[in-house]
């Protein structure tokens, strides 16, 4: 049995995205017969208990393993080189291309300008790269939702709000306030938060008072995306998940690492970019909500572009590359 250690973290500041996509990789490796452990620090807003609930061991220091998978913006080639003594192979998941890595396999699922070449000087010559949305890290629920997508044009009656697991810039509360100033009445509003959202109790209370549907740390976000007509979300990996299931959406940039990919996705026509969170006001969300019911055609164009950018012949082809690395 091959042993794999995933080095990643979640916190109020970091968010939950790294851990969530690593859980998808871990589940796929588990099906292949691998023993997977998570090395995570007990930061405020961590997901250690959640990872344990999914059936994976948690460790707090280096151990010997056949493969280390690193998904962490604070780790570079210095850390990777030091930990070579514990492992035969190292895989890195990155989005930034802003530091050098000592790794054998690198995965970046984002579409940004020059995405196919930007790691060339940052990795060893013999490192294999998996770049672009062909290598999206997708849970089974997203793959199923894509298969069920029928491509029909719909009026915007059902709204999904999900600003990331921790929502550090409090965008969810802005959107909820904007909904009180919006003339169109949405028949169904889903509001999704993660355990790390410090406003979750207040958000839950508002949802109960208004008849919205509140969801916390859920494993069925793809199902909600599949049923929604439009989503107000944050930048990051969930942007590409929305594209993958054919859900037109807006993205608010809530972290610096989301800036480049969100801008480029908007330039390509796959998402509406509302901009940097400090500049996105309640009034901007309200204006967006007011226009949704009268702009059906532009939303259909966004849907089609998102589907086109994320099209792949075989979902999650990265699993075969990882297993080849472990062979």
């Amino acid at each position: 049995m091959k042993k794999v250690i995933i080095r990643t973290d979640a916190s109020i500041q970091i968010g939950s995205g790294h851990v969530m996509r690593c859980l998808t990789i871990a589940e796929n490796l588990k099906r292949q017969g691998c023993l997977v452990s998570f090395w995570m620090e007990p930061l405020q807003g961590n997901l250690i208990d959640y990872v344990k609930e999914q059936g994976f061991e948690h460790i707090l220091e280096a151990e010997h393993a056949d493969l280390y998978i690193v998904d962490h913006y604070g780790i570079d080639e210095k850390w990777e080189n030091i930990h070579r003594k514990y492992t035969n192979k190292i895989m890195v998941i990155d989005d930034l291309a802003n530091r050098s890595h000592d790794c054998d396999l690198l995965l970046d699922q984002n579409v940004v300008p020059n995405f196919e070449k930007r790691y060339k000087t940052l990795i060893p010559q013999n490192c294999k790269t998996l770049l672009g949305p062909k290598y999206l890290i997708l849970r089974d629920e997203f793959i199923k939702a894509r298969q069920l997508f029928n491509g029909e044009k719909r009026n915007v009656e059902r709204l999904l709000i999900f600003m990331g697991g921790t929502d550090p810039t409090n965008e969810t509360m802005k959107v909820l306030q904007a909904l009180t100033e919006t003339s169109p009445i949405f028949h169904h509003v889903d509001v999704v938060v993660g355990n790390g959202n410090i406003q979750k109790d207040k958000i839950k209370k508002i949802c109960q008072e208004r008849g919205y549907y509140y969801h916390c740390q859920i494993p069925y976000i793809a199902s909600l995306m599949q049923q929604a007509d439009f989503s107000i979300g944050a930048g990051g990996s969930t942007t590409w998940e929305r594209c993958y299931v054919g859900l037109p959406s807006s993205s608010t940039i809530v972290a610096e690492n989301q800036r480049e990919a969100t801008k480029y996705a908007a330039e390509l026509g796959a998402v509406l970019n509302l901009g940097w969170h400090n500049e996105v006001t309640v009034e901007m969300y309200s204006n967006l909500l007011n226009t949704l019911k009268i702009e059906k055609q532009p939303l259909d164009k966004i849907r089609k572009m998102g589907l086109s950018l994320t099209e792949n012949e075989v979902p999650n082809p990265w699993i075969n590359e990882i297993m080849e690395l472990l062979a």
Side-chain angles (χ1 to χ4, degrees):
M1 180 180 291
K2 299 292 185 179
K3 182 177 179 180
V4 179
I5 290 176
I6 297 177
R7 176 68 186 96
T8 190
D9 276 322
S11 73
I12 293 173
Q13 290 74 32
I14 294 171
S16 61
H18 298 279
V19 170
M20 296 308 293
R21 67 186 181 187
C22 283
L23 275 170
T24 300
I25 291 175
E27 290 287 354
N28 278 268
L29 287 171
K30 187 176 180 180
R31 292 175 197 164
Q32 298 291 329
C34 298
L35 178 64
V36 184
S37 300
F38 278 72
W39 178 358
M40 302 167 60
E41 298 299 326
L43 307 172
Q44 185 181 8
N46 68 74
L47 291 176
I48 291 172
D49 288 341
Y50 183 75
V51 167
K52 289 179 178 178
E53 289 170 6
Q54 307 312 304
F56 297 101
E57 180 190 20
H58 170 244
I59 62 175
L60 275 170
E61 59 184 9
E63 297 180 3
H64 288 282
D66 298 288
L67 171 67
Y68 267 51
I69 298 177
V70 179
D71 187 350
H72 203 299
Y73 296 150
I75 289 177
D76 59 14
E77 66 176 342
K78 182 178 179 181
W79 186 97
E80 292 150 4
N81 185 261
I82 289 172
H83 288 80
R84 277 284 182 185
K85 60 186 177 183
Y86 293 102
T87 183
N88 298 323
K89 301 289 182 179
I90 295 176
M91 174 185 176
V92 167
I93 303 170
D94 196 10
D95 309 294
L96 303 179
N98 66 347
R99 61 205 188 281
S100 296
H101 291 290
D102 175 16
C103 57
D104 305 282
L105 183 65
L106 183 139
L107 188 157
D108 184 341
Q109 62 185 342
N110 292 283
V111 179
V112 295
N114 198 37
F115 76 91
E116 294 174 317
K117 298 179 180 178
R118 64 185 189 142
Y119 287 97
K120 190 172 182 180
T121 62
L122 300 176
I123 55 177
Q125 280 190 336
N126 62 346
C127 177
K128 187 166 187 177
T129 54
L130 310 177
L131 306 175
K134 175 183 177 181
Y135 296 102
L136 281 176
I137 302 168
L138 298 163
R139 298 200 299 275
D140 291 347
E141 58 170 328
F142 287 100
I143 297 170
K144 183 178 179 181
R146 172 86 174 217
Q147 293 169 344
L148 294 174
F149 178 73
N150 58 19
E152 66 179 8
K153 297 178 183 179
R154 298 182 296 197
N155 294 323
V156 181
E157 306 290 348
R158 184 160 178 156
L159 182 69
L160 171 63
I161 303 164
F162 177 45
M163 307 305 299
T166 59
D167 188 10
T169 64
N170 209 21
E171 300 305 308
T172 305
M173 292 297 289
K174 288 186 194 177
V175 179
L176 290 174
Q177 184 177 340
L179 279 166
T180 67
E181 304 170 7
T182 303
S183 56
I185 303 299
F186 298 92
H187 294 322
H188 188 112
V189 177
D190 288 301
V191 181
V192 181
V193 301
N195 279 330
N197 190 319
I198 59 175
Q199 299 281 355
K200 62 187 178 187
D201 292 336
K202 186 181 294 185
I203 292 169
K204 182 178 182 180
K205 183 179 179 181
I206 292 173
C207 290
Q208 290 172 337
E209 290 172 349
R210 299 188 192 172
Y212 300 161
Y213 294 82
Y214 171 85
H215 312 265
C216 182
Q217 200 65 48
I218 56 172
Y220 52 86
I221 185 69
S223 177
L224 296 182
M225 289 183 182
Q226 184 185 2
Q227 298 171 68
D229 303 312
F230 189 85
S231 177
I232 297 179
S237 58
T238 52
T239 296
W240 301 114
E241 291 170 350
R242 297 192 296 266
C243 288
Y244 187 79
V245 299
L247 176 62
S249 69
S250 68
S251 282
T252 299
I253 305 169
V254 301
E256 186 61 41
N257 63 283
Q258 300 174 1
R259 191 187 292 270
E260 189 175 22
T262 302
K263 284 185 175 181
Y264 195 56
E267 288 175 14
L268 294 172
V271 70
L272 297 173
N273 177 21
L274 298 186
W276 184 246
H277 64 89
N278 279 345
E279 299 164 2
V280 179
T281 63
V282 172
E283 183 181 9
M284 289 175 65
Y285 283 124
S286 182
N287 289 338
L288 170 65
L289 290 165
N290 278 318
T291 61
L292 287 179
K293 294 207 171 189
I294 60 174
E295 294 194 353
K296 185 174 181 180
Q297 193 65 30
L299 295 186
D300 193 50
K301 289 181 179 178
I302 293 171
R303 178 185 294 110
K304 288 178 179 177
M305 180 54 69
L307 287 166
S308 175
L309 282 173
T310 56
E311 188 172 3
N312 52 24
E313 293 181 10
V314 180
N316 291 338
W318 43 262
I319 188 62
N320 295 327
E321 302 290 347
I322 297 175
M323 294 311 298
E324 186 175 323
L325 193 65
L326 281 166

